[in-house]
Amino acid sequence: MAATAQLIDRFQRAGQGQVFAFFDQLTPAEQQNLLSEAGEIDLAEVEQLNRTLVAKTAGAVGVDLEGLAPAPYELLPANGGDAAAWAAAKQTGEAALRAGRVAAFTVAGGQGTRLGYDGPKGTFRVTPVKQKSLFQIFAEKILAAGNRYGQPLHWFIMTSHQNHVATEAFFGEHNHFGLDRARVHFFRQGRMPAVSFEGKILLETKSSLALSPDGHGGSLRALARSGALDVMERAGIDTLSYFQVDNPLVRAIDPAFIGWHLIKRSELTSKMVPKAYAEEKVGHFCTQRGKLIVVEYSDLPMAIQRETDAAGKLRYLAGSVAIHMLDRDFIRRMGQSAGDAGVALPFHRADKKIPTVDATGAAVKPEKANGVKFEMFVFDALPFATNPLVIEARRADDFSPVKNADGLDSPKTCREDQLRQFARWLVANGVSLPTDATGLPAITGEVSPWFGYDEDSFAASWAACAVKPAIVDGYYLT
Ligand code: UTP
């Protein structure tokens, strides 16, 4: 049988023949496209996901809460943590940066549907005065940290099939924001087919499948498959600083975080921030049967989320903010396919509105969820890591993502959090700047990462200014 007929036959035998319903109406090029997409699909995997995730309704999937306890974490000195240990961690991290052992890693393969912005999310402009894009902020932080430690950093950026070309073009148009382009590495993540609630692979058009990125957890295998780990190895990099493309506040390069990870010989270290309130929709760091895990808010009964200790403090306080430090060899182990003695991350089910075609081939834009996407989450790697560790971070220093067009975690809240951060740095260095009760200053302004990308670098630049700049509305420090 010719290869084409064989492929179609395999789909038919797997009960997925609908994928080729319009095949005879397609041009040869369209047929080729559909065949090549279909060739990417692991039908046995889809079958297994249908059985385990789709056939059961979401509510019926029991969540195992046996033996669950809040995860321990390293407290910040301000909250009772060991100041000497934090200082040692910082020194160790700085030494690793000087030795060129650390690279930055941004996951930027998401679809950003909630924000509703047309283009790669990293190209979205977020800063208060200069309207810099998310990518520009990270680029400048990475450049500035490279200067500070005398060792230019490599930056790995995971894209998706949808946004890869546009992402690379954006960097090209901006001359890579001054970075050495040989140190900026783009690679695509894998993709998965979406299925209907009956487990049938959906077509997006008559000649293409509804394919979507396989989740930020797909970054581990994408790092391995793309050769990024080999690049790291050749460059002497053993530690990857992982952050999300939508969080401009993140300390992309944080010496204390790096140092904790190295000193504790951890393969995967994560930052937590204390939940803002009991019902906050974040993942919770927990332990279960001797393993560190993240339990999503949707899987944790509200009564548990609200539990308090004798002092009235939330027991499950440690919220996950998707900031991690990863060991290269651990990624390699996790990135292998399960068949190669690797450990596969589990897939999660997400019910979504998936544009598709009807029985006549006409386009359908669903008003409500019509199918299921499959995604892996990077924090599911925690239970596989040796010496996994959680350290505390201040939300104001590290986390203000742009997720939604308005309301919570929107461009407005993120802009205000940037203004608060700049104001805190200024006030800590003796500037008098009126703010409201939330720390929001009355004036707008911006600090370039060149001038300061964290408290220390800001303080150093400020101290070096013989004549202090005037902090008036619209100020820009660079
Ligand atoms: P989100 O979970 O916020 O998803 O991603 P999203 O796709 O960006 O946005 P929505 O849900 O469609 O509105 C968190 C981070 O993980 C990355 C995103 O780019 C973002 O940095 N991500 C997510 C990937 O890199 N790949 C994925 O498949 C999913």
Side-chain angles (χ1 to χ4, degrees):
M1 217 188 299
T4 300
Q6 252 177 18
L7 186 70
I8 297 176
D9 184 55
R10 271 205 297 122
F11 272 70
Q12 272 161 352
R13 277 186 289 118
Q16 299 289 4
Q18 77 287 348
V19 158
F20 295 101
F22 307 101
F23 196 69
D24 295 339
Q25 307 169 15
L26 305 178
T27 64
E30 289 172 333
Q31 287 186 339
Q32 216 36 60
N33 180 65
L34 185 59
L35 288 168
S36 110
E37 288 183 358
E40 253 184 59
I41 306 299
D42 180 341
L43 285 168
E45 183 172 65
V46 173
E47 214 282 302
Q48 193 237 337
L49 293 172
N50 276 337
R51 222 171 340 104
T52 51
L53 293 178
V54 184
K56 304 178 184 181
T57 58
V61 183
V63 180
D64 173 13
L65 300 173
E66 204 196 305
L68 198 72
Y73 55 86
E74 293 297 338
L75 288 162
L76 283 169
N79 296 332
D82 178 347
W86 278 86
K90 188 172 165 192
Q91 272 186 7
T92 300
E94 287 175 339
L97 286 162
R98 279 191 211 99
R101 290 175 58 189
V102 185
F105 176 37
T106 308
V107 286
Q111 292 175 302
T113 36
R114 283 170 289 172
L115 183 61
Y117 164 68
D118 192 19
K121 206 169 181 179
T123 67
F124 190 70
R125 294 165 178 275
V126 290
T127 66
V129 174
K130 297 292 176 185
Q131 296 292 307
K132 289 181 189 173
S133 65
L134 288 156
F135 279 137
Q136 181 171 357
I137 298 170
F138 302 135
E140 292 181 358
K141 287 186 178 187
I142 289 165
L143 273 164
N147 283 347
R148 185 172 174 89
Y149 298 107
Q151 188 68 252
L153 290 143
H154 285 256
W155 185 15
F156 294 87
I157 300 172
M158 184 174 82
T159 62
S160 66
H161 285 259
Q162 280 108 317
N163 70 22
H164 185 85
V165 171
T167 302
E168 278 197 326
F170 184 74
F171 275 78
E173 282 156 27
H174 293 90
N175 195 24
H176 288 63
F177 303 103
L179 289 155
D180 172 2
R181 56 193 312 159
R183 286 173 192 262
V184 186
H185 312 277
F186 302 95
F187 60 94
R188 288 181 174 84
Q189 69 177 110
R191 45 188 187 171
M192 289 292 289
V195 301
S196 69
F197 292 126
E198 291 73 45
K200 301 288 180 194
I201 295 172
L202 290 168
L203 285 173
E204 184 174 302
T205 66
K206 288 198 256 186
S207 62
S208 65
L209 302 181
L211 295 169
S212 54
D214 57 2
H216 42 70
S219 60
L220 302 182
R221 61 188 192 187
L223 280 161
R225 286 177 187 169
S226 66
L229 295 180
D230 302 325
V231 173
M232 284 175 68
E233 196 158 349
R234 282 197 296 276
I237 298 161
D238 57 17
T239 303
L240 214 46
S241 176
Y242 170 112
F243 52 90
Q244 301 192 151
V245 74
D246 53 21
N247 179 23
L249 235 60
V250 69
R251 283 180 292 177
I253 298 297
D254 177 354
F257 187 27
I258 298 165
W260 274 115
H261 175 77
L262 295 175
I263 287 172
K264 295 282 185 178
R265 299 191 174 281
S266 163
E267 287 188 321
L268 175 50
T269 305
S270 303
K271 278 188 181 171
M272 68 70 103
V273 302
K275 283 198 297 182
Y277 45 94
E279 302 81 11
E280 193 183 3
K281 293 183 172 177
V282 289
H284 295 70
F285 288 105
C286 299
T287 55
Q288 188 174 43
R289 293 187 279 278
K291 296 283 185 197
L292 185 62
I293 59 171
V294 170
V295 181
E296 291 179 84
Y297 66 89
S298 48
D299 287 340
L300 200 59
M302 202 40 92
I304 297 185
Q305 295 187 39
R306 292 190 179 132
E307 274 178 26
T308 49
D309 62 15
K313 191 169 147 190
L314 284 175
R315 281 190 75 226
Y316 289 87
L317 187 65
S320 168
V321 281
I323 305 172
H324 311 285
M325 208 56 71
L326 286 149
D327 173 72
R328 186 192 67 220
D329 292 338
F330 174 63
I331 302 170
R332 194 165 315 269
R333 202 163 83 234
M334 294 302 298
Q336 287 167 343
S337 67
D340 298 330
V343 246
L345 291 184
F347 276 97
H348 296 254
R349 161 188 182 149
D351 295 4
K352 299 266 174 160
K353 292 184 241 175
I354 300 158
T356 183
V357 292
D358 66 15
T360 68
V364 177
K365 277 225 172 294
E367 299 278 303
K368 58 182 178 71
N370 61 328
V372 176
K373 289 185 180 179
F374 302 111
E375 291 195 355
M376 288 179 278
F377 298 156
V378 75
F379 53 71
D380 280 329
L382 276 170
F384 299 103
T386 305
N387 304 328
L389 178 70
V390 181
I391 70 162
E392 184 177 13
R394 265 166 33 119
R395 182 183 298 253
D397 286 337
D398 256 312
F399 190 60
S400 184
V402 179
K403 298 278 185 199
N404 305 303
D406 37 45
L408 216 60
D409 295 339
S410 62
K412 178 171 186 287
T413 58
C414 179
R415 177 179 178 276
E416 291 176 354
D417 284 338
Q418 292 172 64
L419 291 172
R420 287 187 184 95
Q421 182 174 62
F422 303 147
R424 269 198 321 280
W425 291 344
L426 286 162
V427 170
N429 286 278
V431 177
S432 125
L433 184 59
T435 63
D436 69 10
T438 70
L440 188 65
I443 59 165
T444 295
E446 184 170 326
V447 177
S448 160
W450 286 114
F451 190 90
Y453 58 91
D454 59 13
E455 280 172 16
D456 285 1
S457 53
F458 181 91
S461 294
W462 188 261
C465 294
V467 180
K468 305 297 178 211
I471 302 303
V472 294
D473 196 34
Y475 75 87
Y476 178 59
L477 298 183
T478 190

